[in-house]
Amino acid sequence: MVHYQRYHPWRKGDAKVYDVDEESHGLGCANSAYFKRKRPKLFYLLIISLLSCSFLFAPQISSSSSFSLFHTFGVDGGIPAHTDFNAPPCSSMSTGTVCCDRSSSRSDVCLMKGDIRTSSASSSVFLYTSKGVNFSSSNAEEEAQAQLEKIRPYTRKWEIPVMDSIDELKLVAMKGAAAGSTHKCDISYDVPAVFFSTGGYTGNVYHEFNDGILPLYITSQHFKRKVVFVILEYHNWWIMKYGNILSHLTDYPPVDYRGDNRTYCFPEAIVGLRIHDELTVNSTLMEGNKGIFDFRNVLDRAYWPRIRGLIRDEEREMKLKKPTQPLKKQPKLVILSRNGSRAILNEEALVNMAEKIGFSVEVLRPGPKTELAKIYRALNSSDVMVGVHGAAMTHFLFMRPRCWFIQVIPLGTDWAAETYYGDPSRKLGLNYIGYKILPRESSLYNEYDRSDPVLADPESVNQKGWEFTKKIYLDRQSVSLDLERFGKRLIRAYDHSLRAISRNAKTRT
């Protein structure tokens, strides 16, 4: 399950964010495999101005290494000519140093530049420099140690219990004429390394994307695959599950930090991952203004080769069967089904109603071993996705921009549903509907008195603590949808999707 941490809860007086459930505007799904970001008209005027200026100032412009670590901190071109006191931490650093940015409440990130060598036996990463230093201590090892930083490279810094389960790395800068003379390289790379952990809440798809895959993209994409991933709490199943995505972020095999005792050497390293917000990419903090649409395009490139293979297999099977008349294109609805808590108890009736409306319906029950390419294919080809709040809603990332995402919001989950999935889905360009159930649609309705705070004031129950939210609203609640009420949302999504299909068909002809 998603671990609820109330970073920025809504307060009375805050600006309200509307979804299409409250404002009935909406567009049809994007029909291209790769979604292009729209730029404002003013953008083109700025480009023309910049091009004109470039001819005047070209002699003063110098290029920087494509492997620059400074991009990680939103600074292009390395060390500026004039120091900006408002520049982010580590926006400038010299070779042979370690710089850690601990300003974020979500994660620490350290940069190392120079002769970098791993030592898994001592849980250390060493940085050597041969610059001479005057030492007064008689202990040679202490004499050589110029700097020591400690870091747990995981993106939930504020959660002390989970961070305590993450391996700690010591980043040690060693100086002296003989520094590193006995610590030989077994494998040397001429590209940077990114160190991170796949421990913590890994095993939950929300956390795998929010705490891992998206921060990894944010931190490493500017290297253009010329980067090595060094992984703590390494899991073979994680590599298998996300191998298609990893292959579009790196050209090199990942390194199992604990399982491989060899010394790996790098010229630069980033230890820890940058994270922007829930399930999104803040383009203003990225080189080239890369954003969530660019990440979505990486997913497209990662999964389409496998999807084409699945389609070819199905076509071969169809040739062996009696050919059927092709059906008219219908809007496709995918229902992400749950078992146990937060299940839709009248799911079969929901399917029947959706088919009567005109949808082609697919019920998807993703499990821990379900191939992501198959989930991606189902949702990438859908017009509407419906599901009850939970980690599986992370799969909205697999939908095409301008499609429809209807999240069923059980009692007591309003804030989490909006924060973790509603707001991020809008940033991806989806038409989002948050369907907040009424008390009578909850299985808790039969367990508590109508005036009980569990039904009448869920927020007051949540304020007692996470254990109450989990026990009551997440683990013990299921949903029986008011089909007449819910059907109005489905009809709205259907009508918009059907019009979009018609427009796309006319465009192709």
Side-chain angles (χ1 to χ4, degrees), residues 278-280 396 418-429:
E278 308 301 328
L279 294 176
T280 196
F396 78 77
E418 169 62 26
T419 301
Y420 297 133
Y421 306 114
D423 184 56
S425 70
R426 295 187 195 93
K427 292 175 181 175
L428 186 60

Side-chain angles (χ1 to χ4, degrees), residues 152 154 156-168 200 233:
R152 299 180 190 269
Y154 191 60
R156 298 191 81 80
K157 174 181 171 180
W158 74 97
E159 288 196 63
I160 303 302
V162 72
M163 293 302 290
D164 286 343
S165 71
I166 303 299
D167 286 351
E168 184 179 70
E233 284 93 23

Side-chain angles (χ1 to χ4, degrees), residues 5 75 80 147 153 194 205 347 390-391 404 433 441 462 483 508:
Q5 299 294 328
V75 177
Q147 185 181 358
V194 172
V205 69
E347 184 178 277
W404 292 74
I433 295 178
E441 294 176 272
N462 286 333
L483 294 181
R508 286 193 294 270

Side-chain angles (χ1 to χ4, degrees), residues 58-75:
Q60 303 176 38
I61 299 173
S62 60
S63 62
S64 62
S65 168
S66 60
F67 299 148
S68 174
L69 297 180
F70 301 110
H71 294 316
T72 303
F73 295 90
V75 177

Side-chain angles (χ1 to χ4, degrees), residues 335-351 353 386-390 393 406-414 417 434-447 455 472-487:
I335 299 173
L336 285 179
S337 181
R338 293 180 62 98
N339 295 319
S341 66
R342 285 168 283 154
I344 298 177
L345 299 178
N346 55 344
E347 184 178 277
E348 185 176 348
L350 171 62
V351 171
M353 179 184 70
V386 169
V388 180
H389 170 71
M393 296 302 96
I406 305 177
Q407 180 178 203
V408 177
I409 305 174
L411 298 181
T413 65
D414 293 16
Y435 179 82
K436 300 178 183 180
I437 70 168
L438 301 175
R440 59 184 167 79
E441 294 176 272
S442 170
S443 60
L444 300 175
Y445 193 71
N446 300 319
E447 298 182 32
L455 299 178
I472 297 172
Y473 295 120
L474 298 181
D475 293 347
R476 287 175 43 206
Q477 182 176 198
S478 294
V479 175
S480 292
L481 293 173
D482 179 335
L483 294 181
E484 181 178 355
R485 179 171 176 257
F486 188 77

Side-chain angles (χ1 to χ4, degrees), residues 473-505:
Y473 295 120
L474 298 181
D475 293 347
R476 287 175 43 206
Q477 182 176 198
S478 294
V479 175
S480 292
L481 293 173
D482 179 335
L483 294 181
E484 181 178 355
R485 179 171 176 257
F486 188 77
K488 295 176 182 178
R489 279 74 172 177
L490 272 187
I491 291 172
R492 181 185 308 164
Y494 175 84
D495 289 342
H496 281 284
S497 300
L498 189 63
R499 286 197 291 271
I501 290 171
S502 299
R503 284 196 301 268
N504 292 337

